[in-house]
Amino acid sequence: MGQHPDAFLSFADVAPDRAAERLPGMDRDAMAMVLLLYRVTSTVVYDLESTVHRPAGWSWSAFRLLFTLWISGPQEASRAAELAGMSRAAVSSLSRTLTAAGLLERGPGERDRRGVVLSLSEEGTRRLEAALRDHNRREAEWAALLTPEEREVFHTVLSKLAKAARTEDWVSHRF
């Protein structure tokens, strides 16, 4: 029996009700919000990775690192990891792969010569910018599903959650 393409997302429709039935007192609406946020985010990321980034020759993680360096300029590997939301070990491994592919350049750290500064190569910049055009077209397709007013409300709500992630002391942080 084949898997339904929407099974991943539809699970988020039934899980909160079933969980609340099995464990009375649970905040069903909070579970529904977080589960749906995670499921939709995962779906959008998978869509972007499979339609844009894999065809460009890299993973979602590679795109995150390349995009971070494109936006922020050369960075020490530890700072690039922080900005990209990745572990230092992941950036270290990925940067070696991307350097071997000619997309990144690695140089000595400015403060600590044992450190590594990462920067995009000319080829990396060229390829990232080409992929980023396709990436943004795909983002626009997702955004077009909402009216301008809905996008504004959505942005406001996500910004509120992002602010809480930065300011609430009960929130666990990776860094």
Side-chain angles (χ1 to χ4, degrees):
M1 186 150 145
Q3 188 175 1
H4 295 285
D6 66 342
F8 179 74
L9 284 170
S10 63
F11 179 81
D13 295 334
V14 298
D17 290 332
R18 290 203 183 145
E21 289 169 8
R22 292 181 175 180
L23 198 57
M26 288 190 63
D27 187 336
R28 182 236 174 264
D29 291 341
M31 177 184 278
M33 179 192 83
V34 172
L35 186 57
L36 189 57
L37 178 62
Y38 168 74
R39 296 277 169 138
V40 170
T41 300
S42 294
T43 299
V44 171
V45 167
Y46 178 79
D47 178 65
L48 289 166
E49 183 173 34
S50 65
T51 62
V52 176
H53 300 294
R54 289 284 177 200
W58 53 62
S59 66
W60 178 255
S61 295
F63 166 72
R64 285 173 36 209
L65 180 58
L66 294 169
F67 181 72
T68 296
L69 295 170
W70 184 72
I71 291 293
S72 64
Q75 296 291 323
E76 291 194 8
S78 60
R79 178 69 175 151
E82 182 181 348
L83 293 173
M86 301 169 73
S87 71
R88 290 179 186 178
V91 166
S92 177
S93 174
L94 190 54
S95 68
R96 284 191 286 277
T97 300
L98 294 172
T99 299
L103 303 175
L104 280 187
E105 295 174 352
R106 296 164 51 100
E110 294 174 11
R111 293 180 302 228
D112 179 357
R113 301 310 257 172
R114 293 171 295 167
V116 175
V117 171
L118 303 175
S119 59
L120 288 177
S121 66
E122 284 185 35
E123 176 71 3
T125 299
R126 185 189 65 72
R127 288 188 47 202
L128 176 69
E129 288 174 355
L132 197 50
R133 291 181 201 291
D134 293 335
H135 178 103
N136 187 243
R137 277 191 285 275
R138 198 64 171 194
E139 289 173 325
E141 289 181 78
W142 281 99
L145 298 171
L146 304 177
T147 66
E149 295 79 18
E150 288 170 331
R151 285 194 298 270
E152 186 177 334
V153 168
F154 189 59
H155 186 266
T156 299
V157 169
L158 289 177
S159 294
K160 188 173 187 176
L161 292 174
K163 180 180 179 189
R166 290 189 301 270
T167 61
E168 295 294 329
D169 53 354
W170 54 265
V171 176
S172 292
H173 295 274
R174 182 180 299 218
F175 307 104

